[in-house]
């Protein structure tokens, strides 16, 4: 479409296209994040099936998030050439296809390769979903439409783990991965059928320098917060599935997967932290969220199962509070610094998934060497680093109300 063409009015709630868009993006978010973490509750099953160590089994999560993180740096610019809608449709379809192939992977190396490719394919959705919404939805409805997409990612992250664990109890890990893949196929079909074609997409008319988003101390600290916080978060859940499947709990994959229900507290934690940040400022809220995560990790050191679940709930609420506020802080800070908001958000997401891959993968080694104490120590050190970065942010000159 020519750059000088007039912009179409954005979709509003009540428009048929708005309903189609909302359903399609909810389905896309659900599929992408259900597939991303679908192997996490299956790690003990993979250890037995392929005779690998716990640290090696965690590669099925780490390679997917690593592929996603790296591909995010490419997917955004690629969408400027091939278009938002095309990229999102093919992203969800390819992700589901690689998931189906993963269910029949004949060897461990093949499974790891397919999981890495799956992560790369996933990047097309999170890289451009928000840009697509800004372009196609009326300004008055941005928050509502964005909320539906984020809800899809949250439901997907929880449902993928729960469904995979339950299906593994019925017929093993291949049946579980295949079942989640079929959920992805159904969602991909909805995206292809329902997602309205872009009307207001315009190719960028110029280059935006990336240097402002790489030299601002506040943004660098926020990237560090993304990497350390999610690294600790994923490490705890990677280790938790091994802890709960072993003595003295001996929970099945499905029963252990029920702990992911505490993800619901993450949504509440993020929403509450956002409201408090509006009232007291981001600089005050992020350190409090870090302290809550540390308290949660400390509680998980107790032996009784109810206390372990309580600790996971506290850590989850604190993590989503930190992530929710920090991820919204990034574009605001970047805009005030004269950098590209999209580039800053991409760097934040890259740091987020890189931290998930590297630090989350180390949880298997920590578990093998020192059991839950080793996992809790790794998470505690990472959350402490997050707290230090959050405190340092208080000393960085403000350019926006934060």
């Amino acid at each position: 479409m020519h750059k000088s063409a007039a912009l179409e009015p954005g979709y509003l709630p009540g428009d048929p296209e708005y309903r189609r868009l909302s359903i399609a993006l909810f389905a896309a978010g659900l599929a992408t994040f259900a597939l991303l973490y679908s192997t996490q509750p299956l790690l003990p099953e993979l250890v037995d099936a392929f005779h690998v160590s716990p640290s090696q089994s965690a590669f099925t999560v780490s390679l997917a998030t690593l592929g996603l993180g790296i591909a995010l740096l490419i997917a955004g610019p690629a969408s400027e050439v091939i278009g938002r809608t095309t990229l999102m449709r093919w992203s969800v379809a390819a992700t589901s296809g690689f998931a189906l192939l993963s269910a029949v992977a004949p060897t461990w190396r093949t499974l790891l390769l397919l999981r890495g490719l799956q992560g790369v394919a996933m990047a097309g959705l999170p890289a451009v979903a928000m840009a697509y919404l800004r372009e196609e939805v009326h300004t008055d409805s941005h928050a509502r439409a964005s909320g539906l997409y984020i809800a899809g990612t949250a439901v997907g992250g929880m449902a993928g783990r729960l469904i995979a664990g339950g299906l593994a109890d019925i017929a093993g890990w291949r049946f579980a991965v295949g079942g989640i893949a079929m959920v992805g196929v159904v969602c991909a079909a909805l995206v292809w059928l329902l997602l309205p074609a872009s009307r207001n997409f315009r190719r960028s008319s110029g280059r935006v320098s990336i240097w402002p988003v790489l030299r601002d101390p506040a943004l660098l600290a926020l990237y560090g917060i993304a990497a350390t916080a999610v690294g600790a978060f994923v490490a705890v859940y990677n280790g938790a599935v091994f802890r709960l499947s072993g003595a003295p709990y001996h929970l099945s994959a499905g029963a252990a997967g029920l702990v992911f229900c505490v993800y619901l507290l993450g949504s509440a934690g993020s929403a509450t932290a956002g409201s408090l940040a509006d009232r007291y400022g981001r600089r005050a809220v992020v350190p409090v969220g870090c302290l809550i995560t540390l308290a949660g990790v400390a509680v998980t050191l107790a032996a009784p199962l109810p206390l372990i679940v309580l600790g996971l709930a506290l850590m989850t609420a604190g993590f989503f509070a930190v992530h929710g506020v920090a991820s919204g802080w990034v574009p605001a800070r970047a805009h005030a610094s004269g950098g590209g908001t999209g580039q800053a958000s991409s760097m934040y997401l890259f740091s987020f998934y890189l931290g998930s891959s590297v630090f989350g993968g180390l949880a298997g080694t920590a578990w093998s060497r020192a059991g839950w104490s080793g996992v809790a120590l790794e998470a505690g050190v990472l959350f402490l680093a997050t707290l230090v970065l959050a405190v340092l942010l208080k000393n960085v000159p403000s350019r926006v109300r934060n």
Side-chain angles (χ1 to χ4, degrees):
M1 188 176 293
H2 194 272
K3 290 186 294 184
S4 62
L7 294 177
E8 296 285 346
Y11 300 128
L12 286 164
D15 295 341
E17 293 84 358
Y18 181 90
R19 288 193 293 270
R20 290 172 53 204
L21 179 151
S22 298
I23 294 171
L25 282 185
F26 181 91
L30 188 153
T32 299
F33 287 87
L35 292 167
L36 178 60
Y37 291 109
S38 59
T39 61
Q40 193 172 50
L42 308 177
L43 299 184
E45 298 255 349
L46 295 175
V47 168
D48 295 336
F50 290 99
H51 306 292
V52 295
S53 68
S55 60
Q56 290 174 312
S57 72
F59 290 161
T60 59
V61 178
S62 298
L63 287 178
T65 55
L66 180 61
L68 172 56
I70 293 173
L72 279 169
L73 299 177
I74 303 171
S79 73
E80 298 292 340
V81 177
I82 65 177
R84 318 285 194 211
T85 310
T86 300
L87 184 61
M88 287 189 287
R89 285 173 174 166
W90 279 107
S91 174
V92 181
T95 299
S96 302
F98 284 125
L100 285 171
L101 292 174
S102 297
V104 295
T107 66
W108 177 244
R109 289 185 177 180
T110 303
L111 177 61
L112 293 182
L113 173 63
L114 289 169
R115 286 290 291 171
L117 292 173
Q118 194 175 344
V120 171
M122 289 175 186
L125 180 73
V128 301
M130 290 302 183
Y132 173 81
L133 286 171
R134 285 196 302 269
E135 292 164 356
E136 307 302 328
V137 175
H138 194 280
T139 304
D140 293 342
S141 302
H142 278 176
R144 181 174 175 178
S146 299
L148 285 171
Y149 165 67
I150 296 299
T153 65
V155 171
M158 182 179 70
R161 293 166 167 103
L162 291 174
I163 295 172
L167 293 178
D169 284 352
I170 297 173
W173 76 268
R174 292 186 186 275
F175 183 66
V177 172
I180 295 296
M182 290 308 300
V183 172
V185 169
V186 171
C187 290
L190 289 173
V191 172
W192 275 84
L193 291 172
L194 298 179
L195 187 67
S198 295
R199 301 187 305 171
N200 297 321
F201 167 68
R202 302 289 184 271
R203 288 182 174 84
S204 177
S205 59
R207 295 175 178 266
V208 179
S209 175
I210 195 174
W211 290 114
V213 305
L214 291 178
R215 64 189 182 198
D216 179 12
L219 286 174
L220 293 175
L222 288 167
Y223 304 153
I225 284 173
T228 54
V230 76
F233 180 74
V234 173
V236 167
Y237 276 108
N238 280 354
V241 295
F242 288 105
R243 185 184 187 189
L244 297 178
S245 65
Y249 312 105
H250 297 294
L251 299 183
S252 66
L258 291 175
V259 301
F260 293 109
C261 288
V262 300
Y263 258 57
L264 296 174
L265 293 176
S267 298
S270 179
T272 301
S275 298
L276 291 174
D278 286 340
R279 179 178 299 180
Y280 301 107
R282 299 182 181 100
R283 294 168 185 263
V285 173
V286 173
V288 174
C290 295
L291 291 173
I292 294 173
T293 61
L294 286 167
V297 172
V299 173
T300 64
L301 291 170
L305 184 58
L307 287 180
I308 294 174
V309 175
L310 174 62
L312 291 174
L314 284 173
M315 184 207 68
T316 300
F319 165 75
F320 276 101
V322 171
H323 173 49
V325 174
S327 60
W329 196 344
V330 167
R333 178 76 188 191
H335 178 74
S337 301
T341 58
Q343 292 161 312
S345 295
S346 293
M347 285 302 303
Y348 179 88
L349 288 173
F350 171 74
S351 302
F352 185 88
Y353 289 111
L354 182 64
S356 173
S357 175
V358 175
F359 297 128
L362 289 176
T365 301
W367 171 262
S368 297
R369 293 183 176 179
W372 185 251
S373 297
V375 175
L377 176 62
E378 179 196 349
V381 170
L382 288 170
F383 278 135
L384 185 60
T386 307
L387 176 61
V388 170
L389 289 169
V391 172
L392 289 176
L393 272 172
K394 296 175 73 68
N395 299 319
V396 175
S398 176
R399 294 174 182 170
V400 294
R401 183 186 177 273
N402 51 29

